[in-house]
Amino acid sequence: MSKYHEVANISFTNTDLHLTVDGTNYSFPFSEVSARLLAASQMERERYEISPSGYGIHWPLIDEDLSIDGLLNIQHKPSFAKQRAA
């Protein structure tokens, strides 16, 4: 299985999610990415799982999932569009 992203150094303040993706540091206000994370306790935020492929992050205690591509606003072309362009 190929990795989508290398996700590391996830941390939280009262208002923001901080993480490193593919060697670049990012910060995201909870208010812009997840109402559930905004309302969660620090303990609920700190209980997360990074998908083995690096595709996303899951918080089981609040049933929240965020895709890394969604956070970074990355859009991929469908594979059939790539084939037509070739």
Side-chain angles (χ1 to χ4, degrees):
M1 173 189 306
S2 63
K3 294 267 282 188
Y4 287 93
H5 299 284
E6 279 296 326
V7 181
N9 305 322
I10 297 176
S11 64
F12 311 93
T13 64
N14 287 336
T15 58
D16 300 309
L17 164 66
H18 304 278
L19 69 160
T20 303
V21 178
D22 301 327
T24 302
N25 296 320
Y26 296 93
S27 293
F28 301 97
F30 294 132
S31 61
E32 293 180 15
V33 297
S34 170
R36 287 182 180 180
L37 284 171
L38 180 63
S41 69
Q42 189 70 11
M43 187 267 310
E44 290 170 322
R45 291 176 186 152
E46 291 175 356
R47 179 96 185 271
Y48 61 86
E49 302 163 353
I50 301 170
S51 66
S53 67
Y55 179 79
I57 308 166
H58 174 65
W59 285 266
L61 297 178
I62 59 171
D63 192 28
E64 179 68 307
D65 296 281
L66 296 178
S67 77
I68 300 303
D69 285 355
L71 283 172
L72 302 181
N73 200 24
I74 296 172
Q75 296 180 7
H76 299 278
K77 291 183 181 179
S79 59
F80 69 87
K82 290 179 187 176
Q83 291 171 354
R84 287 185 186 171

